[in-house]
């Protein structure tokens, strides 16, 4: 850039007592008296310059070395660089004390090469230092009686580009967070909002353009990090106190913890009452995400998440561990099962962690363990980008094709061809993925239920949910609050989305009785999945065989899927295993039902977890009773009432009025002792 005020790019130096300047020299020596003279050339030039008071010159006086530093720092900011204190000569309190100081460009010197330690990971960050020789030297003098500092050397020639005014403010030396801003940031952090949201709010409050705050997102994160560097033992005590307080307020809040031999917090897990209720219905398929850490406390964080009947993430529980080993993971799984009354999920998705894999085998022997595909795919750029170069995207497309195949035989053949085509025979990541293929490739997993969470697109909503309470970590005890806020927010957002889905007018596309029947029972999210299959079913032909049906696309002369239908028992199954995998009947089975003049989908193929009514699972699992059935019917009617009433103001007004009348009449009815006993017995069975 062109320097503001015509800043000179030549060296001015006082030859008296001059030493060669080496910015890598960190020695400290005493100096003989300096005779400083004023550079007449500099003085003459500065007298003709309107900014003479802002350009350093030989002989310029300062009362303290700090005031000289501040002056040079302001000059540097206008020019497009920042400075740092470099070498001093003399020592405070010894002889003459400090006699000379050097201030240098922030890019002065060269970064020494660090000795590599194999056991310690290296950060390998690129240094900004490039040996720049720009500097300001000041020397102490008592010429006029009192001590003062004079400029005895100045060079403003840089071997690098200087920054523009709108860029120089991002240098660390010029980024500051005031005390009032710090307090504001901490207040925001406690609410659980992200750092990015904090920045936008403060820009609005200060009426500045985006990106023009005197600090950056990185500075805010560093500030929050510094507040987290507290006494870990004290933090642990606060965290336990917070959990106990939550337990006092809500007896259904659950937490477990362990202490080490020094009585310090080792592991802690917790879950909320709403999460435990959600798990009763939607805990059949679970993601256990252990890829995050609470960086402030360097603790691995595990999060249990599922998917509800409206296709939205639901939170089940959290765990903080000191170590990622078999013992810790085993404890975490046992604590989680304790929260959920011993009910293990049908399937669980995790990252590639062999200790966790072993712990699941031990503590959840009936649960099918699989590796979460979107956690694997997230690592692909670092694994394969450099190896494959321009062919990376082509390879990734082939990987997805193989991942989605139905046949294990097709997968094995395709994988071999892929390895040959891209020359990946010796790639350790490919070898490792193939060795674990039965844990992540869909051809090996289609007979197990995963509620659609194997879809890579589903990761966006789950990750967004998780990031909501990871983005603003402060005190460890506050983290429990942040998670609770995030869960409450998700619950409220979920209720709104549920209402919006229910208010949408469902468009029937086939006119088939099965379609309208399913539309009246399934949530809009689940019905849309079934409707896709119903539309596609019309493109398939079915042929009755001795042991079932062969169903294939009308354009195909070979192949197809085998469908087995036992009419008397209402059982139908397909070789594609889509219902077992997603809980939604496939096009092949729907085609056979249609051919067999079936006008309603059998009840067992409209799973409770995809229905509109979120009836507690235990209620649905218990033996039918008149009381239970009537409550279930009432819940269904109330759900329908809310959905229909919300469609217009007139309906809502009428429903509110009539429900108020009914509620008053219900309260007038006496409750007999026998009825109370029946109801108590009923609730004990829930």
């Amino acid at each position: 850039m062109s320097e503001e005020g015509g800043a000179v790019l030549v060296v001015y130096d006082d030859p008296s007592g001059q030493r060669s300047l080496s910015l890598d020299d960190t020695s400290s020596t005493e100096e003989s008296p300096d005779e400083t003279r004023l550079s007449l050339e500099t003085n003459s030039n500065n007298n003709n310059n309107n900014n003479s008071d802002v350009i350093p010159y030989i002989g310029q006086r300062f009362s303290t070395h700090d005031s000289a530093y501040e002056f040079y720092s302001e000059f540097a900011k206008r020019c497009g660089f920042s400075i740092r204190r470099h070498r001093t000569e003399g020592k405070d309190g010894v002889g003459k004390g400090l006699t000379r100081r050097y201030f240098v460009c922030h890019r002065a010197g060269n970064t020494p090469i660090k000795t590599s330690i194999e056991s310690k990971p290296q950060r390998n960050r690129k240094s900004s230092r490039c040996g720049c020789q720009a500097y300001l030297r000041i020397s102490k003098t008592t010429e006029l009686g009192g001590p003062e500092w004079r400029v005895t050397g100045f060079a403003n020639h840089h071997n690098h580009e200087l920054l523009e005014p709108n860029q120089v403010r991002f240098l660390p030396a010029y980024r500051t967070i005031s005390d009032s801003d710090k307090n504001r940031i901490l207040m925001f952090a406690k609410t659980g909002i992200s750092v990015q949201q904090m920045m936008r709010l403060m820009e609005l409050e200060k009426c500045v353009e985006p990106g023009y705050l005197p600090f950056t997102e990185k500075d805010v994160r560093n500030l929050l990090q510094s507040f987290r560097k507290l006494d870990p033992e004290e933090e642990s005590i606060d965290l336990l106190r917070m959990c106990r307080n939550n337990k006092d307020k809500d007896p259904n809040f659950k937490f477990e913890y362990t202490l080490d031999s020094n009585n310090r917090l080792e592991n802690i897990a917790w879950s909320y009452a709403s999460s435990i209720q959600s798990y009763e219905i939607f805990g059949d398929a679970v993601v256990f995400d252990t890829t995050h850490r609470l960086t402030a406390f360097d603790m691995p964080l595990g999060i249990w998440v599922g998917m509800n009947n409206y296709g939205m993430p639901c939170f089940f529980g959290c765990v903080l561990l000191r170590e990622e080993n078999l013992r810790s993971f085993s404890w975490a799984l046992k604590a989680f099962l304790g929260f959920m009354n011993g009910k293990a999920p049908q399937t669980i998705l995790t990252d590639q962690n062999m200790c966790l894999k072993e712990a699941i085998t031990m503590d959840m022997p009936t649960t099918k363990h699989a590796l979460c595909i979107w956690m694997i795919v997230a690592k692909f750029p670092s694994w394969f980008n450099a190896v494959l170069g321009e062919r990376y995207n082509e390879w990734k497309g082939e990987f997805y094709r193989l991942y989605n195949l139905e046949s294990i035989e097709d997968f094995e053949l395709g994988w071999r061809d892929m390895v040959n085509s891209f020359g990946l025979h010796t790639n350790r990541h490919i070898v490792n993925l193939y060795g674990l293929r039965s844990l992540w490739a869909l051809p090996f997993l289609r007979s197990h239920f995963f509620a659609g969470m194997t879809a890579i697109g589903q990761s966006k909503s789950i990750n967004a949910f998780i990031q909501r309470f990871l983005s603003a970590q402060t005190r460890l005890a506050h983290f429990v609050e942040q998670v609770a806020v995030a869960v409450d927010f998700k619950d409220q957002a979920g209720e709104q989305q549920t209402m919006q889905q229910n208010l949408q007018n469902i468009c029937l596309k086939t006119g088939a009785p099965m379609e309208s029947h399913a539309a009246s029972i399934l949530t809009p999210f689940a019905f849309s999945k079934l409707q896709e299959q119903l539309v596609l079913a019309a493109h398939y032909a079915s042929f009755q065989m001795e042991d079932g049906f062969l169903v294939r696309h009308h354009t195909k002369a070979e192949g197809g899927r085998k469908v087995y239908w036992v009419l008397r028992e209402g059982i139908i199954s397909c070789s594609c295993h889509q219902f077992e995998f997603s809980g939604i009947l496939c096009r092949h089975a729907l085609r056979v039902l249609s051919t067999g003049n079936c006008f309603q989908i059998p009840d067992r193929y409209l799973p409770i977890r995809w229905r509109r009514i979120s009836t507690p699972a235990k209620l649905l699992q218990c033996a039918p009773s008149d009381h239970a059935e009537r409550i279930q019917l009432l819940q269904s009617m109330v759900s329908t009432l809310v959905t229909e009433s919300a469609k217009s103001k007139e309906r809502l007004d009428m429903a509110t009025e009539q429900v108020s009348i009914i509620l008053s009449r219900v309260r007038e009815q006496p409750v007999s002792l026998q009825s109370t006993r029946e109801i108590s017995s009923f609730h004990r069975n829930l």
Side-chain angles (χ1 to χ4, degrees):
M1 65 169 264
S2 59
E3 296 192 10
E4 188 177 328
V8 288
L9 297 178
V10 294
V11 175
Y12 293 111
D13 221 343
D14 181 355
S16 60
Q18 184 177 337
R19 301 175 50 191
S20 62
L21 175 66
S22 171
L23 297 180
D24 294 321
D25 182 6
T26 56
S27 62
S28 177
T29 62
E30 291 190 9
E31 180 189 41
S32 56
D34 235 356
E35 293 183 5
T36 307
R37 68 177 179 81
L38 178 66
S39 169
L40 296 178
E41 180 185 359
T42 306
N43 192 43
S44 175
N45 287 342
N46 287 339
N47 286 338
N48 295 325
N49 193 307
N50 292 333
N51 294 318
S52 60
D53 59 335
V54 295
I55 302 174
Y57 58 89
I58 301 300
Q60 187 175 7
R61 296 181 176 91
F62 297 96
S63 58
T64 65
H65 56 77
D66 285 335
S67 59
Y69 176 85
E70 291 173 8
F71 174 85
Y72 188 33
S73 180
E74 284 298 316
F75 168 77
K77 187 175 184 180
R78 287 189 295 273
C79 289
F81 68 101
S82 66
I83 64 169
R84 70 173 189 272
R85 293 177 172 85
H86 182 54
R87 198 176 66 209
T88 63
E89 295 177 2
K91 294 181 179 179
D92 278 330
V94 179
K96 300 177 182 179
L98 288 176
T99 57
R100 182 176 288 177
R101 297 208 67 155
Y102 289 88
F103 306 130
V104 299
C105 173
H106 73 288
R107 301 195 67 178
N110 294 290
T111 303
I113 299 174
K114 294 181 180 179
T115 305
S116 178
I117 303 174
E118 291 186 4
S119 61
K120 187 176 181 180
Q122 302 296 314
R123 299 182 71 175
N124 296 323
R125 290 187 301 180
K126 187 177 179 181
S127 173
S128 65
R129 299 192 181 188
C130 61
C132 181
Q133 294 291 311
Y135 78 101
L136 180 77
R137 183 181 67 219
I138 57 174
S139 300
K140 190 176 182 180
T141 178
T142 55
E143 220 175 67
L144 301 176
E148 65 177 2
W149 293 82
R150 291 187 183 181
V151 176
T152 58
F154 169 57
N156 200 35
H157 179 71
H158 299 262
N159 65 350
H160 56 89
E161 290 186 7
L162 299 179
L163 301 176
E164 297 292 336
N166 65 337
Q167 297 173 321
V168 70
R169 61 194 178 86
F170 291 116
L171 290 173
Y174 305 126
R175 303 201 307 255
T176 57
I177 305 180
S178 67
D179 289 340
S180 60
D181 286 341
K182 287 179 183 178
N183 293 333
R184 194 79 176 139
I185 288 167
L186 285 177
M187 185 198 73
F188 286 144
K190 290 180 181 180
T191 67
I193 69 172
S194 68
V195 171
Q196 189 176 32
Q197 289 170 320
M198 293 182 199
M199 298 291 286
R200 299 294 83 81
L201 285 171
M202 296 186 79
E203 285 166 353
L204 290 171
E205 290 176 352
K206 295 176 180 290
C207 298
V208 301
E209 293 293 321
Y212 274 80
L213 288 172
F215 48 84
T216 64
E217 286 188 21
K218 182 179 179 181
D219 298 323
V220 174
R221 295 184 195 280
N222 289 339
L223 174 68
L224 296 175
Q225 182 86 356
S226 68
F227 278 104
R228 298 177 204 133
K229 291 179 179 177
L230 304 169
D231 182 353
E233 190 169 343
E234 183 180 332
E235 284 288 287
S236 300
I237 293 170
D238 287 344
L239 176 60
L240 288 174
R241 185 182 297 119
M242 174 66 70
C243 287
R244 291 187 179 111
N245 289 342
N246 284 349
K247 185 71 174 177
D248 291 339
K249 294 175 185 175
D250 180 6
N252 293 317
F253 173 83
K254 295 186 179 182
F255 74 103
E256 292 287 343
Y257 65 95
T258 61
L259 303 176
D260 63 15
S261 56
N262 296 317
N263 210 36
R264 293 178 304 181
L265 183 66
E266 186 177 38
N267 306 308
I268 185 167
W270 68 93
S271 184
Y272 307 96
S274 61
S275 302
I276 296 167
Q277 291 171 0
S278 294
Y279 184 85
E280 281 292 318
I281 313 166
F282 309 118
D284 41 15
V286 173
V287 172
F288 185 29
D289 189 345
T290 57
T291 60
H292 306 279
R293 298 180 76 87
L294 284 191
T295 53
F297 309 97
D298 196 31
M299 295 183 77
L301 171 67
I303 303 150
W304 286 280
V305 187
M307 183 191 285
N308 70 13
N309 51 341
Y310 284 84
M312 292 175 284
C314 50
F315 175 86
F316 294 144
C318 248
V319 63
L320 284 168
L321 305 170
R322 185 179 295 177
E323 303 289 343
E324 290 182 275
N325 54 33
L326 176 60
R327 176 175 169 271
S328 296
F329 284 131
S330 178
W331 177 88
L333 294 175
K334 288 174 181 174
F336 180 72
L337 289 174
F339 297 159
M340 305 307 169
N341 302 309
K343 178 185 174 182
Q346 294 177 28
T347 56
I348 188 167
L349 290 159
T350 73
D351 190 25
Q352 292 169 272
N353 187 305
M354 292 304 103
C355 289
L356 179 54
K357 179 179 180 295
E358 189 175 345
I360 291 171
T361 302
M362 289 191 316
D363 299 302
M364 293 182 174
T366 62
T367 298
K368 172 61 180 176
H369 176 219
L371 300 181
C372 199
I373 187 62
W374 31 273
M375 294 183 192
I376 294 175
V377 170
K379 301 169 186 174
F380 280 179
S382 61
W383 285 357
F384 301 115
N385 226 330
V387 175
L388 295 168
E390 293 180 354
R391 300 193 71 191
Y392 171 71
N393 287 331
E394 180 189 352
W395 170 84
K396 194 163 67 168
E398 178 62 9
F399 175 86
Y400 285 143
R401 187 188 73 81
L402 296 175
Y403 166 74
N404 284 295
L405 288 173
E406 290 184 6
S407 164
I408 293 176
E409 291 76 13
D410 290 345
F411 175 86
E412 296 287 358
L413 290 172
W415 188 271
R416 185 181 63 192
D417 292 341
M418 179 266 290
V419 170
N420 291 333
S421 175
F422 291 90
L424 295 171
H425 303 83
T426 59
N427 183 280
R428 63 186 180 92
H429 298 301
I430 287 292
V431 172
N432 186 42
L433 281 173
Y434 183 72
L436 297 171
R437 63 193 182 282
S438 64
L439 295 179
W440 60 263
L442 293 190
F444 298 89
L445 301 175
R446 290 191 182 277
S447 59
H448 301 277
F449 180 72
F450 287 97
M453 292 191 295
T454 56
I456 295 172
Q458 191 61 34
S459 66
K460 293 181 180 179
S461 60
I462 292 177
N463 283 335
F465 170 54
I466 291 172
Q467 289 301 324
R468 181 170 176 80
F469 54 80
L470 284 178
S471 58
Q473 304 166 26
T474 50
R475 298 283 301 274
L476 186 56
H478 292 159
F479 184 67
V480 178
E481 289 180 335
Q482 288 168 217
V483 175
V485 168
V487 172
D488 287 342
F489 175 84
K490 191 65 186 177
D491 288 346
Q492 292 171 16
E495 288 176 7
Q496 292 176 358
Q497 291 183 43
T498 297
M499 182 64 71
Q500 289 172 2
Q501 280 192 33
N502 286 333
L503 289 176
Q504 292 173 359
N505 290 321
I506 293 175
C507 178
L508 301 180
K509 298 180 179 179
T510 69
M514 278 193 296
E515 185 183 18
S516 57
H517 173 237
S520 67
I521 295 175
L522 300 179
T523 64
F525 169 80
F527 174 70
S528 67
K529 304 296 182 185
L530 181 68
Q531 190 178 50
E532 289 175 11
Q533 298 300 313
L534 278 165
V535 171
L536 291 171
H539 298 263
Y540 284 76
S542 65
F543 306 92
Q544 187 161 7
M545 315 289 286
E546 289 184 3
D547 57 346
F549 294 82
L550 177 66
V551 180
R552 62 171 173 243
H553 196 271
H554 73 95
T555 61
K556 305 290 184 182
E558 296 180 354
R561 305 292 184 274
K562 289 295 293 291
V563 176
Y564 303 93
W565 185 23
V566 183
L567 180 59
R568 284 177 298 179
E569 298 179 17
I571 295 175
I572 191 166
S573 64
C574 180
S575 60
C576 75
H577 297 296
Q578 178 170 303
F579 179 77
E580 290 83 356
F581 184 66
S582 66
I584 302 294
L585 273 182
C586 63
R587 65 200 77 171
H588 317 110
L590 290 169
R591 177 58 182 164
V592 170
L593 290 175
S594 177
T595 303
N597 298 323
C598 184
F599 299 109
Q600 286 192 351
I601 295 174
D603 194 61
R604 70 174 66 194
Y605 299 108
L606 297 172
I608 294 298
R609 67 120 47 239
W610 291 134
R611 297 190 185 194
R612 290 175 180 265
I613 308 164
S614 299
T615 310
K618 284 189 176 179
L619 172 60
L620 296 163
Q621 293 169 355
C622 67
S625 70
D626 182 58
H627 192 78
E629 289 173 357
R630 291 169 70 184
I631 287 182
Q632 186 175 347
L633 176 62
L634 179 60
Q635 288 175 323
S636 175
M637 293 171 65
V638 170
S639 177
T640 305
L641 175 67
V642 172
T643 301
E644 293 298 324
S645 301
K647 291 182 179 179
S648 72
K649 182 180 181 299
E650 292 73 19
R651 286 189 177 190
L652 191 60
D653 290 342
M654 183 180 72
T656 303
E657 180 183 351
Q658 294 300 318
V659 169
S660 297
I661 295 171
I662 293 172
L663 185 59
S664 298
R665 290 180 178 176
V666 168
R667 285 173 174 164
E668 291 173 358
Q669 297 300 311
V671 180
S672 67
L673 182 60
Q674 180 62 30
S675 298
T676 304
R677 287 173 180 170
E678 289 177 0
I679 293 170
S680 298
S681 175
F682 167 73
H683 285 296
R684 281 198 299 272
N685 292 328
L686 291 181

